[in-house]
Amino acid sequence: MMEGQAGAGAAVEISGIAKRYSTGAQAVAALDGVSLAIEAGSLVAVAGPSGSGKSTLLHLLGAMDVPDEGTIRVGAAEVTTLSRRERVDYRRRIGFVFQSFHLLPALTALDNVAAPLLPYRADFDKHERARELLAAVGLAGREDALPSELSGGQQQRVAIARALVNDPFLLLADEPTGNLDSRTGEELLQLLLGLRAQRGTTVLVATHDPVIASRCDRIVRLQDGRILDVTDVQPEEATALLERVTRLEP
Ligand SMILES: Nc1ncnc2c1ncn2[C@@H]1O[C@H](COP(=O)(O)OP(=O)(O)OP(=O)(O)O)[C@@H](O)[C@H]1O
Ligand SMILES: [Mg+2]
Protein backbone atom coordinates (compact mmCIF):
# COMPACT_ATOMS: atom_id res chain seq x y z
CA MET A 1 0.00 0.00 0.00
CA MET A 2 2.80 2.43 0.86
CA GLU A 3 5.20 3.43 -1.83
CA GLY A 4 8.23 5.63 -1.26
CA GLN A 5 11.60 5.02 0.34
CA ALA A 6 11.50 2.03 2.61
CA GLY A 7 12.60 2.78 6.13
CA ALA A 8 12.44 6.56 5.87
CA GLY A 9 9.40 6.88 8.08
CA ALA A 10 9.04 5.26 11.48
CA ALA A 11 6.37 2.81 12.58
CA VAL A 12 4.53 3.96 15.69
CA GLU A 13 3.12 1.75 18.43
CA ILE A 14 1.12 3.33 21.20
CA SER A 15 0.03 1.03 24.03
CA GLY A 16 -2.38 1.94 26.79
CA ILE A 17 -1.41 5.55 27.23
CA ALA A 18 -3.08 7.77 29.78
CA LYS A 19 -2.39 11.42 30.43
CA ARG A 20 -4.03 13.36 33.22
CA TYR A 21 -3.81 17.04 33.95
CA SER A 22 -4.70 18.43 37.31
CA THR A 23 -5.92 21.96 37.60
CA GLY A 24 -6.43 22.70 41.28
CA ALA A 25 -8.58 19.94 42.79
CA GLN A 26 -9.86 18.77 39.41
CA ALA A 27 -8.13 16.11 37.35
CA VAL A 28 -8.81 15.90 33.63
CA ALA A 29 -8.07 12.68 31.75
CA ALA A 30 -6.82 14.14 28.47
CA LEU A 31 -6.06 10.62 27.24
CA ASP A 32 -7.43 7.49 28.82
CA GLY A 33 -6.17 4.12 27.59
CA VAL A 34 -5.25 4.87 24.00
CA SER A 35 -3.62 2.09 21.94
CA LEU A 36 -2.81 2.41 18.28
CA ALA A 37 -0.39 0.94 15.76
CA ILE A 38 0.65 3.04 12.77
CA GLU A 39 2.46 1.65 9.75
CA ALA A 40 5.68 3.33 8.70
CA GLY A 41 5.04 5.83 5.92
CA SER A 42 1.31 6.21 6.48
CA LEU A 43 -0.63 9.43 6.68
CA VAL A 44 -3.00 9.32 9.64
CA ALA A 45 -5.66 11.88 10.55
CA VAL A 46 -6.45 12.36 14.22
CA ALA A 47 -9.97 13.71 14.40
CA GLY A 48 -12.43 14.41 17.20
CA PRO A 49 -14.12 17.32 18.96
CA SER A 50 -12.32 20.09 20.78
CA GLY A 51 -10.82 18.77 24.02
CA SER A 52 -10.84 15.13 22.87
CA GLY A 53 -7.06 14.77 23.26
CA LYS A 54 -5.64 15.30 19.75
CA SER A 55 -2.95 17.81 20.71
CA THR A 56 -2.08 15.83 23.83
CA LEU A 57 -1.50 12.73 21.70
CA LEU A 58 0.77 14.65 19.31
CA HIS A 59 2.73 16.20 22.18
CA LEU A 60 3.33 12.80 23.74
CA LEU A 61 4.50 11.39 20.39
CA GLY A 62 6.84 14.34 20.00
CA ALA A 63 8.31 13.75 23.50
CA MET A 64 7.20 17.22 24.48
CA ASP A 65 5.42 15.69 27.44
CA VAL A 66 5.32 12.25 29.11
CA PRO A 67 2.27 10.03 29.66
CA ASP A 68 1.22 8.90 33.14
CA GLU A 69 0.75 5.38 31.87
CA GLY A 70 1.58 3.33 28.81
CA THR A 71 4.33 3.13 26.24
CA ILE A 72 5.07 4.80 22.91
CA ARG A 73 7.45 3.22 20.47
CA VAL A 74 8.54 5.24 17.44
CA GLY A 75 10.90 3.27 15.21
CA ALA A 76 13.54 1.91 17.56
CA ALA A 77 12.88 4.46 20.31
CA GLU A 78 10.79 3.85 23.43
CA VAL A 79 9.77 7.49 23.74
CA THR A 80 8.50 7.36 27.33
CA THR A 81 11.80 6.21 28.82
CA LEU A 82 14.32 8.31 26.92
CA SER A 83 17.05 9.96 28.93
CA ARG A 84 17.30 13.74 28.73
CA ARG A 85 19.99 13.49 26.14
CA GLU A 86 18.18 10.89 24.07
CA ARG A 87 15.07 13.09 24.15
CA VAL A 88 17.01 15.94 22.60
CA ASP A 89 18.25 13.65 19.84
CA TYR A 90 14.80 12.16 19.36
CA ARG A 91 13.12 15.57 19.07
CA ARG A 92 15.61 16.60 16.43
CA ARG A 93 14.26 13.83 14.20
CA ILE A 94 10.62 14.77 14.68
CA GLY A 95 8.99 17.51 12.63
CA PHE A 96 6.29 19.54 14.35
CA VAL A 97 3.90 21.90 12.57
CA PHE A 98 1.51 24.02 14.61
CA GLN A 99 -1.73 25.72 13.69
CA SER A 100 -0.25 29.14 14.34
CA PHE A 101 3.00 28.45 12.43
CA HIS A 102 5.35 29.71 15.21
CA LEU A 103 7.76 31.38 12.78
CA LEU A 104 10.33 33.77 14.16
CA PRO A 105 9.10 37.19 12.99
CA ALA A 106 12.51 38.84 12.67
CA LEU A 107 13.99 36.09 10.49
CA THR A 108 13.56 35.64 6.75
CA ALA A 109 11.81 32.57 5.37
CA LEU A 110 15.21 31.04 4.59
CA ASP A 111 16.57 31.64 8.09
CA ASN A 112 13.40 30.31 9.68
CA VAL A 113 13.81 27.05 7.78
CA ALA A 114 17.54 26.80 8.57
CA ALA A 115 17.12 27.75 12.26
CA PRO A 116 16.79 24.20 13.67
CA LEU A 117 20.09 23.26 12.00
CA LEU A 118 22.13 26.19 13.25
CA PRO A 119 23.16 24.78 16.66
CA TYR A 120 24.58 21.68 15.03
CA ARG A 121 27.60 20.85 12.97
CA ALA A 122 26.69 19.62 9.49
CA ASP A 123 28.63 18.29 6.53
CA PHE A 124 26.36 20.11 4.09
CA ASP A 125 25.45 23.72 3.42
CA LYS A 126 22.58 24.51 5.80
CA HIS A 127 21.23 27.43 3.81
CA GLU A 128 21.40 25.43 0.60
CA ARG A 129 19.31 22.73 2.25
CA ALA A 130 16.82 25.34 3.49
CA ARG A 131 16.65 26.79 -0.03
CA GLU A 132 15.88 23.35 -1.51
CA LEU A 133 13.10 22.77 1.01
CA LEU A 134 11.55 26.18 0.36
CA ALA A 135 11.56 25.32 -3.34
CA ALA A 136 9.99 21.93 -2.56
CA VAL A 137 7.08 23.66 -0.80
CA GLY A 138 6.65 26.06 -3.72
CA LEU A 139 8.36 29.11 -2.25
CA ALA A 140 11.39 29.49 -4.50
CA GLY A 141 12.11 33.19 -4.85
CA ARG A 142 10.61 34.10 -1.46
CA GLU A 143 13.68 33.15 0.60
CA ASP A 144 14.24 36.70 1.81
CA ALA A 145 10.64 37.46 2.75
CA LEU A 146 9.79 38.05 6.40
CA PRO A 147 6.82 36.08 7.79
CA SER A 148 4.78 39.32 7.89
CA GLU A 149 5.25 39.61 4.12
CA LEU A 150 3.81 36.14 3.44
CA SER A 151 0.21 34.90 3.34
CA GLY A 152 -1.04 32.45 5.95
CA GLY A 153 -0.69 29.52 3.56
CA GLN A 154 2.83 30.59 2.62
CA GLN A 155 3.80 30.95 6.27
CA GLN A 156 2.47 27.47 6.93
CA ARG A 157 4.56 26.15 4.03
CA VAL A 158 7.65 27.77 5.58
CA ALA A 159 6.74 26.02 8.84
CA ILE A 160 6.47 22.69 7.00
CA ALA A 161 9.82 23.25 5.28
CA ARG A 162 11.33 24.00 8.69
CA ALA A 163 9.77 20.85 10.16
CA LEU A 164 11.46 18.85 7.38
CA VAL A 165 14.91 20.35 7.63
CA ASN A 166 16.18 17.65 9.99
CA ASP A 167 14.83 14.92 7.73
CA PRO A 168 12.28 13.67 10.29
CA PHE A 169 11.06 10.10 10.46
CA LEU A 170 7.79 11.37 11.92
CA LEU A 171 5.94 14.56 11.08
CA LEU A 172 3.33 15.77 13.57
CA ALA A 173 0.97 18.45 12.32
CA ASP A 174 -1.51 20.00 14.76
CA GLU A 175 -4.38 21.49 12.74
CA PRO A 176 -2.01 22.80 10.09
CA THR A 177 -4.92 24.00 7.95
CA GLY A 178 -6.92 25.48 10.80
CA ASN A 179 -6.34 29.11 9.88
CA LEU A 180 -6.39 28.64 6.12
CA ASP A 181 -9.10 28.71 3.48
CA SER A 182 -10.06 25.41 1.89
CA ARG A 183 -8.04 25.90 -1.30
CA THR A 184 -4.87 26.65 0.65
CA GLY A 185 -5.69 23.76 2.94
CA GLU A 186 -5.93 21.49 -0.08
CA GLU A 187 -2.52 22.66 -1.31
CA LEU A 188 -1.01 21.88 2.06
CA LEU A 189 -2.59 18.48 2.00
CA GLN A 190 -1.05 17.83 -1.43
CA LEU A 191 2.27 18.75 0.11
CA LEU A 192 1.80 16.19 2.89
CA LEU A 193 0.69 13.54 0.40
CA GLY A 194 3.75 14.27 -1.73
CA LEU A 195 6.01 13.92 1.29
CA ARG A 196 4.57 10.57 2.12
CA ALA A 197 5.07 9.42 -1.47
CA GLN A 198 8.60 10.81 -1.94
CA ARG A 199 10.19 10.29 1.44
CA GLY A 200 7.96 7.77 3.13
CA THR A 201 7.65 10.06 6.14
CA THR A 202 5.07 8.89 8.67
CA VAL A 203 2.64 11.78 9.14
CA LEU A 204 0.04 12.35 11.86
CA VAL A 205 -2.24 15.28 11.31
CA ALA A 206 -4.75 16.49 13.88
CA THR A 207 -7.62 18.03 11.98
CA HIS A 208 -11.24 19.11 12.25
CA ASP A 209 -11.56 19.16 8.48
CA PRO A 210 -13.40 16.11 7.06
CA VAL A 211 -11.99 16.72 3.58
CA ILE A 212 -8.43 16.61 4.89
CA ALA A 213 -9.22 13.54 6.99
CA SER A 214 -10.78 11.72 4.03
CA ARG A 215 -7.54 12.08 2.04
CA CYS A 216 -5.44 10.36 4.69
CA ASP A 217 -4.83 6.59 4.83
CA ARG A 218 -6.58 6.25 8.17
CA ILE A 219 -8.78 8.32 10.39
CA VAL A 220 -8.51 7.88 14.14
CA ARG A 221 -11.40 9.54 15.96
CA LEU A 222 -10.93 10.51 19.57
CA GLN A 223 -13.64 11.33 22.05
CA ASP A 224 -13.06 12.21 25.71
CA GLY A 225 -9.52 10.91 25.53
CA ARG A 226 -10.43 7.54 24.09
CA ILE A 227 -10.41 6.12 20.58
CA LEU A 228 -13.96 6.14 19.25
CA ASP A 229 -13.08 4.36 16.00
CA VAL A 230 -10.38 3.87 13.40
CA THR A 231 -11.30 3.96 9.71
CA ASP A 232 -9.10 2.87 6.84
CA VAL A 233 -9.82 5.18 3.94
CA GLN A 234 -10.13 3.54 0.54
CA PRO A 235 -8.40 5.64 -2.13
CA GLU A 236 -11.40 5.43 -4.48
CA GLU A 237 -13.71 6.80 -1.76
CA ALA A 238 -11.33 9.68 -1.19
CA THR A 239 -11.28 10.51 -4.89
CA ALA A 240 -15.06 10.38 -5.11
CA LEU A 241 -15.36 12.62 -2.07
CA LEU A 242 -12.86 15.09 -3.43
CA GLU A 243 -14.67 15.23 -6.77
CA ARG A 244 -17.92 16.02 -4.98
CA VAL A 245 -16.27 18.77 -3.02
CA THR A 246 -14.50 20.31 -6.03
CA ARG A 247 -17.68 20.28 -8.09
CA LEU A 248 -19.31 22.53 -5.49
CA GLU A 249 -16.65 25.17 -5.92
CA PRO A 250 -17.42 28.08 -8.23
N1 LIG B 1 -1.64 21.84 30.00
C1 LIG B 1 -2.88 21.45 30.33
N2 LIG B 1 -3.34 21.64 31.60
C2 LIG B 1 -4.58 21.23 31.95
N3 LIG B 1 -5.44 20.64 31.11
C3 LIG B 1 -5.05 20.42 29.86
C4 LIG B 1 -3.75 20.83 29.39
N4 LIG B 1 -3.63 20.49 28.08
C5 LIG B 1 -4.80 19.91 27.75
N5 LIG B 1 -5.65 19.87 28.80
C6 LIG B 1 -6.99 19.27 28.81
O1 LIG B 1 -6.93 17.98 28.22
C7 LIG B 1 -8.02 17.75 27.36
C8 LIG B 1 -7.52 17.43 25.95
O2 LIG B 1 -6.92 18.59 25.40
P1 LIG B 1 -6.27 18.65 23.95
O3 LIG B 1 -5.60 19.96 23.83
O4 LIG B 1 -5.45 17.45 23.75
O5 LIG B 1 -7.58 18.58 23.02
P2 LIG B 1 -7.71 18.75 21.44
O6 LIG B 1 -8.43 17.56 20.94
O7 LIG B 1 -6.39 19.06 20.84
O8 LIG B 1 -8.68 20.01 21.32
P3 LIG B 1 -8.72 21.17 20.18
O9 LIG B 1 -9.45 20.58 19.01
O10 LIG B 1 -9.53 22.25 20.85
O11 LIG B 1 -7.33 21.59 19.88
C9 LIG B 1 -8.91 18.98 27.45
O12 LIG B 1 -9.91 18.74 28.39
C10 LIG B 1 -7.96 20.04 27.94
O13 LIG B 1 -8.66 21.02 28.67
MG1 LIG C 1 -5.59 20.73 19.86
Side-chain angles (χ1 to χ4, degrees), residues 37 53 139 157 173 180 183 227 236:
L139 288 174
R157 282 189 269 159
L180 306 173
R183 189 177 300 269
I227 292 181
E236 52 285 7

Side-chain angles (χ1 to χ4, degrees), residues 73-150:
R73 179 169 288 281
V74 177
E78 170 46 71
V79 181
T80 50
T81 56
L82 296 176
S83 68
R84 227 184 136 80
R85 209 209 136 92
E86 290 167 335
R87 262 163 92 97
V88 172
D89 285 342
Y90 174 79
R91 282 208 208 124
R92 275 184 67 196
R93 299 300 308 280
I94 301 288
F96 218 113
V97 180
F98 302 91
Q99 178 173 0
S100 47
F101 321 146
H102 290 211
L103 298 178
L104 297 163
L107 297 188
T108 64
L110 189 72
D111 286 331
N112 262 288
V113 174
L117 292 173
L118 297 182
Y120 304 101
R121 210 196 273 277
D123 56 5
F124 55 86
D125 184 321
K126 295 171 184 173
H127 280 98
E128 201 42 52
R129 176 158 176 77
R131 196 178 296 281
E132 284 165 16
L133 281 166
L134 276 178
V137 299
L139 288 174
R142 304 307 305 274
E143 293 83 3
D144 296 330
L146 293 171
S148 59
E149 296 165 338
L150 297 171

Side-chain angles (χ1 to χ4, degrees), residues 19-23 28-31 47-57 59 65 99 174-175 206 208 222 225:
K19 177 69 188 173
R20 291 175 283 270
Y21 291 108
S22 39
T23 43
V28 177
L31 291 174
S50 183
S52 58
K54 303 182 294 296
S55 296
T56 304
L57 183 63
H59 288 150
D65 208 343
Q99 178 173 0
D174 198 353
E175 308 206 27
H208 280 112
L222 295 178

Side-chain angles (χ1 to χ4, degrees), residues 171-185:
L171 182 69
L172 303 167
D174 198 353
E175 308 206 27
T177 61
N179 284 330
L180 306 173
D181 62 51
S182 61
R183 189 177 300 269
T184 317

Side-chain angles (χ1 to χ4, degrees), residues 145-163:
L146 293 171
S148 59
E149 296 165 338
L150 297 171
S151 71
Q154 290 169 336
Q155 289 179 54
Q156 189 59 303
R157 282 189 269 159
V158 174
I160 291 175
R162 180 186 53 188

Side-chain angles (χ1 to χ4, degrees), residues 161-203:
R162 180 186 53 188
L164 296 176
V165 80
N166 277 322
D167 201 16
F169 44 67
L170 177 62
L171 182 69
L172 303 167
D174 198 353
E175 308 206 27
T177 61
N179 284 330
L180 306 173
D181 62 51
S182 61
R183 189 177 300 269
T184 317
E186 172 63 24
E187 283 169 14
L188 277 172
L189 185 72
Q190 290 300 344
L191 204 60
L192 296 179
L193 288 165
L195 256 179
R196 191 272 306 271
Q198 284 162 29
R199 300 174 174 234
T201 313
T202 308
V203 184

